[in-house]
Amino acid sequence: MSSVPLRRLRVNPILCDGVGYCAEIVPELIFLDDWGFPVIDPIPIEDETCLRHARKAVASCPKVALLLEHLEASGH
Ligand code: SF4
């Protein structure tokens, strides 16, 4: 249907220190577990505002523990 590349937010649990800035920046995709570590909604990001927040969270992470993974768009 669409050839627009989709992205999904992921966290590297080895780098993450669990302070939780990311959950404040993009609460629509990230909540914190009982220990303060981020749990990320694995769905592809389709909403522009959500993608903008996700990019901001990636750029703001002090441990460089977040990334936006590119997904193959389903089509044909
Ligand atoms: S901002 Fe980065 S280091 Fe902090 S909790 Fe989120 S992913 Fe982990």
Side-chain angles (χ1 to χ4, degrees), residues 42-63:
I43 61 166
I45 303 168
E46 298 189 55
D47 179 80
E48 274 296 323
T49 301
C50 194
L51 183 58
R52 192 167 59 247
H53 291 171
R55 284 191 175 118
K56 184 176 178 185
V58 169
S60 303
C61 175
K63 297 294 182 178

Side-chain angles (χ1 to χ4, degrees), residues 3-58:
S3 62
V4 175
L6 295 174
R7 293 175 181 84
R8 177 169 56 197
L9 196 56
R10 295 188 65 186
V11 63
N12 181 331
I14 295 172
L15 295 175
C16 174
D17 67 1
V19 172
Y21 297 130
C22 53
E24 295 178 21
I25 295 170
V26 61
E28 58 268 55
L29 287 177
I30 303 174
F31 72 90
L32 301 179
D33 68 13
D34 291 343
W35 296 271
F37 285 89
V39 177
I40 298 178
D41 191 329
I43 61 166
I45 303 168
E46 298 189 55
D47 179 80
E48 274 296 323
T49 301
C50 194
L51 183 58
R52 192 167 59 247
H53 291 171
R55 284 191 175 118
K56 184 176 178 185
V58 169

